Amino acid sequence: MKLPFLFRPRLLDDLRGYDRTRFTRDLGAGVTVGIVALPLAMAFAIASGLKPEAGLWTAIIAGLLISLFGGSSVQIGGPAGAFIVIVYGILERYGLANLMIATACAGVLLFVMGMLRLGRLVRYVPVSIVIGFTNGIAVLIAASQVKDWLGLAIPKMPADFFTQLKTIAAHIDSFNPFAFVLGATCVLGLFVWPRLWHARSPVRAAMDIPGIRQASEVGARLPGPVVALVTLTLAAWYFALPVETISSRFGGIPSGLPAFVLPEFSWETVKLLVTPTLTIALLGAVESLLCARVADQLSTAPRHDPNQELMAQGIANFVVPFFGGMPATGTIARTVTNIRAGGTSPVAGIVHAGTLALVVLLAAPLALLVPLSVLAGILLFVAWNMGEWREFAHLRRYSTHYRVLMLGTFVLTVVFDLTVAVQVGLVAACVLFIQKMGSLFSVERVVNDSGLLRYKLYGSLFFGATAKIDPVVQAVETGPERPDVVLDALHLVHLDTSGLDALRQLHKAVLLRQGTLHIENLQQQPREVIERGGLVRELEDKHQDS
């Protein structure tokens, strides 16, 4: 059956000429990414207010579907840190069942966006807005983890940033030094671990002897989050530290397959969930396509298909809620890990999902001992890496336009939420763009001895620049009777209907003074607009009458 739109997963193209060498590389990369995804998936789910298995099965199911149907050769999908704040807020306001419905509806919306080939439109979101809301989300993630990092006895954290700070301050007397030390050690270790195995590291140089070189290479390949999770969990268990764990908060992680659950659905509910649905869909689209663009820069694989990627994200987000999952998107950390580990095709993403499934089904009880402060440390490290903090220091290099958009989006994300920030940011970007484009249009008076009112038009005469025709109208109204006005449009590159109306108002002012208006040297686009609007005929009729 031929579909009315193009649906061609990248996997079909990558399997052409696929050989054992590529499979070996994809197998190793997939296992590596699966191990890296384990602590992140649990941490993202817990921070979002869900049970750890929600993040694990989202990584498995969504990761599998995005690799099967996606438009990128190397992108890895799953739960992402950017969704933490969004999911937590939706949970608090609408509840778990409505989160599932909103996620499924967002999946449908994402698929339709890809089907209508709107993937490239995401690239029109200004980078200043992207950096602003990314930094804002990073701050909110860090704030949400302070409770578990400090081991505070807070039954439930609010979603609002300032209320969170107030709640933390009110419960600071329940500070747990053991949890703090574990979390701080985790963060410090994640910063130090990759530097220990750097090519110029003295540790790497000291171990570069035949008997130990192999062990050094193994250590360099071990992901920092996995090392931190295992070592600090063992330390907390061995010394019987009084810290909260996954077991003490959630009771356990089911080791069986997730049950298929159909949430109660009604159109009245869907209407109430328009805002969270749009938020999930917008963030999922932006995150996945930005991640795919980063992957294109780091990998030698063919460039991604943004529309196919959106359709894959839509399928994944539609399916995972029925298995108790959370919103999913492309993930930069796991995608970069996949590329660096040698992944060449979506097979690596499929292996990553299979690796996670085996771990959950065979070793779920071992996760019960993981201290929540260690997961908080991992997320604090994720938040630090997520933010583009240098952009704040470099703001003076950029225009006022850039600074207003970035800082405004950042503040709105922290104070309100992502939806408000992006909506206001895009409106502000449009207004500033209109103002900028309007400033590029100009009208220049040409002094001459013939008595003509001659002007040259430069740039684009559109709705944001029509006011610059007013001085010409005023010159006609205050000038001599029967004025002859000539507009040289050689450098007029664009004209819209508002600009056409401004020219028609000028023509009316000229007619009231019993004069004539000539427009010469018209380019193709302005000529087509003037002809279609009937102004050319009006000018010609007047010239014939005169």
Side-chain angles (χ1 to χ4, degrees), residues 318-338:
F318 179 76
V319 172
V320 291
F322 300 115
F323 296 93
M326 59 188 291
T329 185
T331 56
I332 292 180
R334 277 158 276 175
T335 298
V336 172
T337 301
N338 181 40

Side-chain angles (χ1 to χ4, degrees), residues 142 157 343 479:
M157 282 287 285

Side-chain angles (χ1 to χ4, degrees), residues 229-248:
L229 187 73
V230 173
T231 56
L232 293 176
T233 298
L234 288 175
W237 169 77
Y238 181 78
F239 292 106
L241 299 180
V243 294
E244 192 174 17
T245 64
I246 290 179
S247 176
S248 63

Side-chain angles (χ1 to χ4, degrees), residues 401 404-405 423-433:
H401 181 158
V404 168
L405 286 180
Q423 289 174 348
V424 174
L426 287 175
V427 170
C430 292
V431 171
L432 292 172
F433 177 77

Side-chain angles (χ1 to χ4, degrees), residues 467-499:
K468 293 189 177 181
I469 297 294
D470 291 346
V472 182
V473 176
Q474 293 173 3
V476 170
E477 293 174 342
T478 58
E481 291 288 337
R482 300 181 178 276
D484 288 327
V485 181
V486 178
L487 300 180
D488 184 351
L490 179 63
H491 302 289
L492 181 67
V493 296
H494 177 264
L495 179 71
D496 71 353
T497 53
S498 296

Side-chain angles (χ1 to χ4, degrees), residues 507 516-519 538-546:
H507 187 217
T516 58
L517 174 66
H518 303 267
I519 304 178
E538 296 173 19
L539 294 175
E540 291 175 348
D541 292 344
K542 176 57 183 175
H543 295 161
Q544 291 173 1
D545 295 340
S546 59

Side-chain angles (χ1 to χ4, degrees), residues 491-536:
H491 302 289
L492 181 67
V493 296
H494 177 264
L495 179 71
D496 71 353
T497 53
S498 296
L500 175 64
D501 184 69
L503 294 179
R504 183 170 275 115
Q505 296 302 321
L506 172 61
H507 187 217
K508 289 181 179 179
V510 172
L511 292 178
L512 288 174
R513 305 284 290 180
Q514 300 180 346
T516 58
L517 174 66
H518 303 267
I519 304 178
E520 59 186 27
N521 299 325
L522 277 166
Q523 301 292 339
Q524 181 179 355
Q525 194 275 341
R527 176 177 291 279
E528 290 177 353
V529 174
I530 288 177
E531 289 177 348
R532 197 165 56 244
L535 182 59
V536 168

Side-chain angles (χ1 to χ4, degrees), residues 104-115 274 277-279 281-282 310 314:
C105 291
V108 174
L109 183 57
L110 284 166
F111 189 89
V112 172
M113 289 171 63
M115 185 179 68
V274 170
T277 296
L278 292 176
T279 302
L282 177 63
L310 284 183

